[in-house]
Amino acid sequence: DTEVTQTPKHLVMGMTNKKSLKCEQHMGHRAMYWYKQKAKKPPELMFVYSYEKLSINESVPSRFSPECPNSSLLNLHLHALQPEDSALYLCASSQDYELAGGNEQFFGPGTRLTVL
Amino acid sequence: KNQVEQSPQSLIILEGKNCTLQCNYTVSPFSNLRWYKQDTGRGPVSLTIMTFSENTKSNGRYTATLDADTKQSSLHITASQLSDSASYICVVTARGYGQNFVFGPGTRLSVLP
């Protein structure tokens, strides 16, 4: 199984809502990533988890809260988002973070988020 | 500063034609270079990954080249198909501790019938 799954595929939420994005992989990868991608732009790194511990937070606003319940799951909790947060949110995984240079990142299909 | 540039920004070709996309980088120290294909609204899918010692790598109709001296890579698509319409992203990884994936802006390819 070389697949990264993400749910939901689409999400529309108001600025006062609380929602969560979910990501799952069963490749035994120990590094998982959240990216944000705006239209016609490359993905921007948000968070990196390595062995279920947060390793990188690219100065992401606190209204985005990541969580890694176990080695296969990665969540992104959303609260009080702004319309400019509307984007495609991509999850990715790789075998190992410290050896990231030698490993391939597998991306999920993404969640299309719209904040009204 | 680590950067990846891609050209052209967008490209339109007719079905069955060949095309070549370019990637220039200033990432150092270099670890590897990947080409991804990304359909609109979908996650990127890896096409090729090349390390310092590799000059050419093929994946079906996709052939990537790497010149580590000039820090340039190309992706050649042969006999294009309508399904090749997508964004092609060059990603260069810096060697060393931890994550340092540097994404290029992508080339938007449209294949017309």
Side-chain angles (χ1 to χ4, degrees):
Chain A
D1 184 1
T2 58
E3 189 180 22
V4 177
T5 60
Q6 289 187 244
T7 56
K9 290 185 178 180
H10 302 277
L11 178 62
V12 179
M13 60 186 291
M15 289 189 285
T16 59
N17 292 157
K18 285 185 180 180
K19 297 287 184 182
S20 295
L21 310 184
K22 297 186 184 301
C23 174
E24 190 167 2
Q25 56 87 16
H26 295 287
M27 294 177 278
H29 289 173
R30 303 316 299 267
M32 297 186 76
Y33 311 76
W34 278 116
Y35 288 86
K36 172 183 177 181
Q37 186 176 27
K38 303 286 272 186
K40 299 183 180 180
K41 297 289 187 181
E44 297 176 10
L45 182 65
M46 300 175 71
F47 302 103
V48 180
Y49 270 84
S50 176
Y51 290 82
E52 300 156 50
K53 287 185 169 49
L54 184 63
S55 293
I56 296 287
N57 177 342
E58 292 285 357
S59 302
V60 179
S62 60
R63 56 185 184 269
F64 295 92
S65 175
E67 177 196 19
C68 189
N70 60 55
S71 61
S72 299
L73 295 174
L74 185 65
N75 298 323
L76 186 62
H77 303 297
L78 314 172
H79 174 55
L81 295 193
Q82 303 297 313
E84 59 264 30
D85 295 323
S86 298
L88 180 69
Y89 287 83
L90 294 167
C91 174
S93 71
S94 67
Q95 184 175 351
D96 190 284
Y97 174 61
E98 281 72 17
L99 296 176
N103 296 321
E104 179 179 350
Q105 272 187 320
F106 291 83
F107 284 85
T111 293
R112 171 66 63 187
L113 173 67
T114 302
V115 182
L116 301 177
Chain B
K1 180 182 178 183
N2 287 337
Q3 278 190 313
V4 176
E5 297 176 346
Q6 292 186 242
S7 62
Q9 184 176 10
S10 62
L11 182 62
I12 300 174
I13 61 174
L14 294 177
E15 186 179 13
K17 298 296 185 183
N18 303 336
C19 67
T20 300
L21 314 180
Q22 300 291 340
C23 172
N24 297 333
Y25 62 91
T26 58
V27 177
S28 182
F30 175 87
S31 177
N32 60 61
L33 183 148
R34 298 180 177 88
W35 282 95
Y36 286 92
K37 176 187 177 185
Q38 184 176 22
D39 294 316
T40 302
R42 305 287 294 175
V45 175
S46 178
L47 296 175
T48 64
I49 178 171
M50 302 177 70
T51 59
F52 186 87
S53 59
E54 296 176 298
N55 300 118
T56 303
K57 184 165 281 190
S58 292
N59 178 1
R61 295 180 297 102
Y62 301 101
T63 299
T65 65
L66 175 64
D67 186 333
D69 292 331
T70 62
K71 298 187 177 181
Q72 296 179 328
S73 176
S74 66
L75 180 69
H76 185 74
I77 304 175
T78 304
S80 61
Q81 301 176 357
L82 298 178
S83 58
D84 292 331
S85 296
S87 288
Y88 291 83
I89 304 174
C90 176
V91 182
V92 182
T93 305
R95 185 160 36 87
Y97 175 80
Q99 134 83 9
N100 196 358
F101 299 111
V102 186
F103 284 73
T107 291
R108 177 68 201 176
L109 175 65
S110 298
V111 181
L112 303 181

